[in-house]
Amino acid sequence: MAPSYHVVTLFPEMFAALSGFGVSGRAIERRLCGLSFWDPRDFTQDNYRTVDDRPFGGGPGMVMLVEPLDLALTAARAALRRSGVGAPRMIYLSPQGRRLNQALVEELAAEPALVLLAGRYEGIDERLFARHALEEVSIGDYVLSGGELPAMVLLDAVIRQLPGALGHANSAAEDSFADGLLDCPHYTRPERYLGLTVPEVLRGGNHAEIARWRLGQALDRTRTRRPDLLRDRRLSPLEQALLKDLPGPSDREAGPV
Ligand code: ADE
């Protein structure tokens, strides 16, 4: 069964950016995954369909009411239970969460379902955590105005991992981070643009040489831009040899003479 993704959000229309375009749009259209929305306003009891209130203890901003969110999450879980998914992972997008990375994306892409909660305002009533096993996930150390964009970031990264989502069978495996390294540089036609040329090796057609060059470039970029990634990674003998052959960071800084 294709995985199904359920999003609790006040703004389901925003997700047209995900479902209407590109890789994620095609995957949803081709039913490689399901995408459903649960609007907390539909779970309110009052005429104003209120979903927020002022914080106890004072302070700026508003807090999302516990009940509409609780009922929306419960409805999403009930729908999943009816389709045979017992205990879906439930994720609240929040700057307080575990940082999203490719390892977590790949883990989530293997799940039969996900329930995502996109908050608004200053946050959600803390008692929601006592009602649902919510994992908090952050997309980075900055604050956005709501969880919808982070939920779309997470879903886009997850959906491109689904079998058949990408045209080329191996593309996801070749992404940056897929093997813990940054991506190598890419070139297409023309061979010469305003005097700028394509590296010789890529035009030669020697696939082993090309693979070696690409790995060397990926290692070089990773070492200069994200040395933290290399520290956490076991290098193969070939990678160690390539790294030794690369010009050191000081050579690069020296620039042309
Ligand atoms: N909501 C607001 N900012 C966020 C962030 N950086 N990550 C996840 N959810 C958020």
Side-chain angles (χ1 to χ4, degrees):
M1 257 263 282
S4 64
Y5 304 130
H6 292 251
V7 187
V8 172
T9 170
L10 290 170
F11 302 113
E13 301 85 1
M14 283 181 73
F15 288 78
L18 186 78
S19 58
F21 302 89
V23 167
S24 55
R26 264 194 311 281
I28 293 163
E29 197 180 288
R30 292 163 53 211
R31 305 204 189 290
L32 301 184
C33 63
L35 184 61
S36 315
F37 300 100
W38 304 86
D39 186 340
R41 280 196 205 283
D42 296 336
F43 297 87
T44 53
Q45 322 278 345
D46 64 320
N47 288 339
Y48 298 103
R49 298 176 21 108
T50 309
V51 291
D52 63 333
D53 206 339
R54 286 165 310 189
F56 274 116
M62 301 290 268
V63 176
M64 292 188 85
L65 296 174
V66 65
E67 186 178 56
L69 294 181
D70 182 18
L71 295 177
L73 289 171
T74 301
R77 283 168 69 172
L80 280 170
R81 201 170 314 116
R82 286 193 296 276
S83 69
V85 180
R89 280 178 78 164
M90 305 184 64
I91 295 171
Y92 171 48
L93 284 307
S94 134
Q96 278 71 245
R98 162 184 179 188
R99 184 94 63 83
L100 184 67
N101 62 16
Q102 193 62 25
L104 179 55
V105 164
E106 286 170 23
E107 201 182 298
L108 296 177
E111 292 288 328
L114 297 172
V115 178
L116 305 182
L117 170 57
R120 282 271 146 182
Y121 315 115
E122 292 308 306
I124 60 178
D125 188 306
E126 191 70 15
R127 289 167 293 184
L128 198 66
F129 293 101
R131 296 277 305 140
H132 301 273
L134 290 168
E135 302 172 45
E136 286 183 83
V137 171
S138 165
I139 63 161
D141 292 340
Y142 42 82
V143 179
L144 299 167
S145 314
E148 284 78 11
L149 289 170
M152 280 191 267
V153 166
L154 184 151
L155 284 174
D156 183 274
V158 163
I159 289 171
R160 62 184 280 112
Q161 294 296 321
L162 299 179
L166 294 176
H168 187 278
N170 268 334
S171 311
E174 286 170 14
D175 277 348
S176 273
F177 301 115
D179 61 356
L181 297 176
L182 300 185
D183 203 1
C184 63
H186 301 279
Y187 297 87
T188 185
R189 288 188 293 180
E191 276 189 25
R192 174 179 284 271
Y193 177 69
L194 302 179
L196 301 167
T197 55
V198 175
E200 188 71 45
V201 57
L202 296 180
R203 291 181 278 144
N206 181 333
H207 295 294
E209 271 303 303
I210 291 172
R212 194 183 158 87
W213 180 85
R214 286 182 169 155
L215 180 58
Q217 292 290 313
L219 284 163
D220 189 23
R221 281 186 164 184
T222 309
R223 189 178 60 181
T224 49
R225 300 180 191 186
R226 292 290 305 277
D228 56 305
L229 294 176
L230 276 192
R231 278 194 296 271
D232 301 340
R233 192 173 184 282
R234 253 218 318 273
L235 294 170
S236 71
L238 171 61
E239 290 169 345
Q240 288 176 26
L242 284 169
L243 261 179
K244 232 176 29 237
D245 287 349
L246 290 172
S250 53
D251 298 342
R252 171 183 285 256
E253 274 158 29
V257 268

